[in-house]
């Protein structure tokens, strides 16, 4: 019995240590901005990365997330920057991104988004969607692989709704107001564990 209890206590202690964040959101003082811009402004902000090209009737969203570098960043930890349309609970299908460390940012999706949406109801929609019995990615978030990458600049295009778009290709649509879009920062550990999520804007 003593051995069983010791093993149980050890498992609890390991889980506590494994999920304990190296720093909380207050230490980062993260902030976000988001605005509707024209193509020239987006192109200039993203250089040398190519911005997503808009067509007539589209809207261009340009955002920036900044934070204070923690004194002792955890090896292997990372961030996810989520851009979520609160009207539809959809993320953009594509995001162009650059940063102070362009080699340390990219756009995509992974299992940490599913963990975060299950833990935080206000992030509903960022994880995989079940459509016709199978799962598909919900869209793109920004992955940041270094605490030194601040500031991160990103851009996406909202296009007018197109009738007949397959459910797995659904994305936020224009017209939208900046206030319709939520930006969140998610702290992710080396093993994909989600430490915390912070709502930065709207």
């Amino acid at each position: 019995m003593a051995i069983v209890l010791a093993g149980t206590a050890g498992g609890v202690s390991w889980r506590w240590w494994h999920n304990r964040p190296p720093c909380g959101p207050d230490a980062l003082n993260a902030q976000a901005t988001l605005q509707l811009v024209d193509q020239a402004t987006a192109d200039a902000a993203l250089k040398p990365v190519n911005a997503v090209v808009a067509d007539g009737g589209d809207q261009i969203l340009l955002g920036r997330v900044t934070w204070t570098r923690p004194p002792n960043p955890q090896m292997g930890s990372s961030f996810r920057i989520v851009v979520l349309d609160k009207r539809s609970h959809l993320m953009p299908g594509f995001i162009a991104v650059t940063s102070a460390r362009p080699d340390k940012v990219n756009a995509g999706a992974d299992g940490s988004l599913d963990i975060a949406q299950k833990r935080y109801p206000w992030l509903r929609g960022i994880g995989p969607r079940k459509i016709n019995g199978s799962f598909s990615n919900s869209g793109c978030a920004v992955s940041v692989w270094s605490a030194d990458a601040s500031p991160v600049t990103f851009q996406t295009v909202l296009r007018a709704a197109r009738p007949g778009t397959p459910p797995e290709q659904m994305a936020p649509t224009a017209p939208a107001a900046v206030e319709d879009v939520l930006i969140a920062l998610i702290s992710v550990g080396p093993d994909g564990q989600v430490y915390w999520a912070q709502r930065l804007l709207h």
Side-chain angles (χ1 to χ4, degrees):
M1 180 64 73
I3 294 175
V4 172
L5 290 175
T8 302
V12 170
S13 297
W14 182 87
R15 282 193 299 274
W16 175 86
W17 174 85
H18 185 255
N19 295 310
R20 182 172 180 266
C23 67
D26 290 346
L28 298 179
N29 190 32
Q31 300 180 46
T33 60
L34 187 69
Q35 56 185 324
L36 291 166
V37 300
D38 58 23
Q39 191 70 56
T41 301
D43 291 343
L46 268 290
K47 281 186 177 180
V49 174
N50 292 326
V52 184
V53 177
D55 296 322
D58 295 343
Q59 290 180 301
I60 302 174
L61 286 173
L62 179 67
R64 171 176 275 205
V65 174
T66 62
W67 62 86
T68 302
R69 183 185 187 275
N72 297 297
Q74 182 185 38
M75 184 76 69
S77 64
S78 58
F79 300 116
R80 304 292 178 271
I81 297 171
V82 168
V83 181
L84 182 67
D85 184 339
K86 295 185 296 184
R87 304 167 301 167
S88 61
H89 294 277
L90 294 171
M91 294 196 300
F94 185 79
I95 296 177
V97 58
T98 189
S99 76
R101 294 284 306 276
D103 59 320
K104 296 297 183 181
V105 292
N106 65 276
D110 61 29
S112 65
L113 301 179
D114 191 34
I115 296 171
Q117 82 160 356
K118 290 175 179 175
R119 188 179 303 172
Y120 301 96
W122 51 272
L123 285 175
R124 177 171 63 87
I126 69 171
R129 288 176 283 167
K130 189 173 184 179
I131 300 171
N132 297 326
S134 61
F135 288 91
S136 64
N137 286 337
S138 56
C140 280
V142 174
S143 296
V144 183
W145 304 104
S146 171
D148 297 315
S150 176
V152 173
T153 301
F154 59 88
Q155 176 252 5
T156 192
V157 171
L158 304 185
R159 307 190 189 279
R162 293 176 171 82
T165 300
E168 64 273 13
Q169 296 178 17
M170 296 293 286
T173 57
V178 169
E179 292 75 18
D180 293 326
V181 181
L182 177 156
I183 298 178
L185 184 68
I186 302 172
S187 176
V188 181
D191 297 323
Q193 68 269 45
V194 172
Y195 290 135
W196 48 259
Q198 181 184 23
R199 192 171 188 151
L200 300 181
L201 197 64
H202 305 133

